[in-house]
């Protein structure tokens, strides 16, 4: 995991920041209530995406946030 400041500079970690970091910084600046952004590529989510399959709704937490399958 890598932690960056609002200029995109690494402040913690040894990995390179995500290529989406500039977008995350814009979101932080535009929405002051955002407390954090986590960007991940979990193994299972990546497999579903590469297979072009939706992730089915299998639990209440998922249903509370996505209202159906994740495209």
């Amino acid at each position: 995991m890598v932690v960056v400041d609002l200029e995109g500079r690494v402040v913690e970690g040894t990995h390179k920041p995500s290529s989406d970091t500039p977008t995350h910084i814009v979101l932080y600046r535009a929405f002051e209530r955002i407390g954090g952004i986590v960007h991940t590529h979990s193994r299972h989510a990546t497999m579903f995406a590469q297979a072009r399959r939706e992730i089915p709704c299998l639990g209440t937490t998922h249903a509370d946030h996505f209202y159906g399958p994740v495209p």
Side-chain angles (χ1 to χ4, degrees), residues 1-45:
M1 185 163 144
V2 63
V3 178
V4 298
D5 64 16
L6 290 178
E7 301 301 319
R9 294 181 296 248
V10 175
V11 295
E12 185 178 324
T14 58
H15 298 289
K16 293 195 292 185
S18 165
S19 60
D20 291 325
T21 298
T23 301
H24 296 169
I25 291 170
V26 168
L27 291 170
Y28 271 119
R29 290 183 175 152
F31 302 97
E32 62 184 49
R33 293 188 67 186
I34 291 178
I37 297 173
V38 176
H39 181 121
T40 182
H41 297 269
S42 73
R43 180 178 301 174
H44 293 95

